[in-house]
Amino acid sequence: MESVIALIGFGEAGSTFAKAAGWESAALAFDINPARRAVMEDAGVVICGTAEDALGDADLVLSLVTADSALPAAEDYAALLKAGAIWCDMNSVAPDTKRAAAKAVEAAGGRYVDVAVLAPVNPARMNVPLLISGIDAAEAEARLRAAGFARTRVVGDEIGRASAIKMIRSVMVKGIEALTAEMMLAATKAGVVGEVLSSLDASEKTQSWFERAEYNVERMTTHGARRAAEMEESAKTLESLGVEPVMTSGTVRRQREQAGKTIAFNPERTEVA
């Protein structure tokens, strides 16, 4: 099942998928940032100057914009869709945000599918796990697999179900990163980094905390601003369920404050009995 693919947003995810799958001229790409044209040229995709150029002939649309642009993109571009085109919203936003986007797409004659990306696109690339939900999820899955995505799973026909899984899971994943940064800031100032990490190693052996702490903090330094936007959507998800997002709201602040900042530590390993 071959599809003409349109990529709305050509950041890390869009460029990674295009290169890994080798779509080249089978994919049309549009990004509001003109600086992304060089990346598009490198990937070999068809560079489109407007969203209309990208969407006019597309059967399968991958929306890969920032979290705060997911709904505006659906609302602004829905009218440009080819009749019956499938809009795969792969952005990390709350279920209510996706349901609002679905209304815009469906009102314009398109078909909307909720897709949750469950791992960093690098290094997973086309093996990144995708959860898919919506009335047209089965067809979307077939088209995504034909496009090269290897790990896809339909989780229901309700828009918002896939994103609910992702957003609630993110409460833990991004929360651990934020807690790690807070721990490391305090441990560094107190001069007890080695003792703290060795103590954690002694109680949990699945992975060294020396490795985990460095990884978690690096994720926030590199992607903190984007992750903060995603965690705001997780907070909305919890609020919609009647759960006060106390730690999640704190995670938003910590992710945003940590973006672009490094924590310099080179601790000596300490053996703990």
Side-chain angles (χ1 to χ4, degrees):
M1 183 183 298
E2 294 186 1
S3 302
V4 175
I5 301 169
L7 295 151
I8 299 300
F10 207 75
E12 180 185 11
S15 59
T16 296
F17 294 151
K19 290 178 183 178
W23 292 328
E24 297 186 336
S25 61
L28 302 93
F30 170 74
D31 196 295
I32 60 173
N33 182 0
R36 300 305 296 174
R37 293 179 66 92
V39 184
M40 293 177 189
E41 289 178 1
D42 183 55
V45 298
V46 178
I47 302 171
C48 297
T50 66
E52 184 175 10
D53 291 338
L55 295 172
D57 296 320
D59 306 297
L60 183 70
V61 181
L62 307 185
S63 176
L64 294 161
V65 297
T66 57
D68 55 352
S69 298
L71 179 55
E75 292 176 334
D76 292 346
Y77 303 146
L80 305 177
L81 290 171
K82 174 182 175 181
I86 298 178
W87 179 280
C88 290
D89 194 333
M90 304 176 78
N91 303 297
S92 297
V93 297
D96 284 347
T97 305
K98 290 209 170 180
R99 284 189 278 267
K103 288 183 180 179
V105 170
E106 291 167 358
R111 294 184 288 169
Y112 182 98
V113 175
D114 175 8
V115 181
V117 182
L118 289 190
V121 297
N122 282 310
R125 296 185 289 276
M126 302 308 286
N127 287 313
V128 70
L130 302 180
L131 300 183
I132 309 166
S133 66
I135 295 297
D136 295 296
E139 182 176 343
E141 181 185 34
R143 291 184 180 276
L144 287 168
R145 280 192 169 273
F149 291 96
R151 298 180 62 190
T152 62
R153 183 162 67 92
V154 174
V155 295
D157 59 8
E158 177 188 352
I159 297 297
R161 183 172 177 82
S163 59
I165 296 169
K166 166 70 182 284
M167 290 295 102
I168 295 170
R169 176 180 179 272
S170 291
V171 172
M172 175 60 74
V173 175
K174 274 75 169 184
I176 288 176
E177 292 173 358
L179 288 172
T180 302
E182 198 157 297
M183 175 191 73
M184 293 305 298
L185 286 168
T188 299
K189 287 186 177 181
V192 295
V193 171
E195 292 288 350
V196 169
L197 298 182
S198 292
S199 176
L200 287 168
D201 271 349
S203 60
E204 184 176 352
K205 292 294 186 181
T206 55
Q207 181 189 18
S208 168
W209 266 94
F210 286 81
E211 297 171 0
R212 188 183 300 186
E214 184 176 0
Y215 176 82
N216 285 353
V217 171
E218 186 279 330
R219 294 288 85 192
M220 296 180 67
T221 299
T222 305
H223 302 294
R226 174 172 60 80
R227 286 171 178 256
E230 292 180 12
M231 290 307 293
E232 287 179 332
E233 297 295 324
S234 288
K236 292 179 185 178
T237 303
L238 296 187
E239 288 174 338
S240 72
L241 297 171
V243 178
E244 185 179 4
V246 177
M247 289 297 293
T248 305
S249 296
T251 296
V252 171
R253 179 179 174 182
R254 181 61 64 190
Q255 289 273 1
R256 183 166 286 122
E257 289 181 351
Q258 201 59 41
K261 300 177 183 177
T262 59
I263 299 176
F265 64 96
N266 185 25
E268 293 290 331
R269 291 178 179 265
T270 305
E271 294 299 324
V272 177

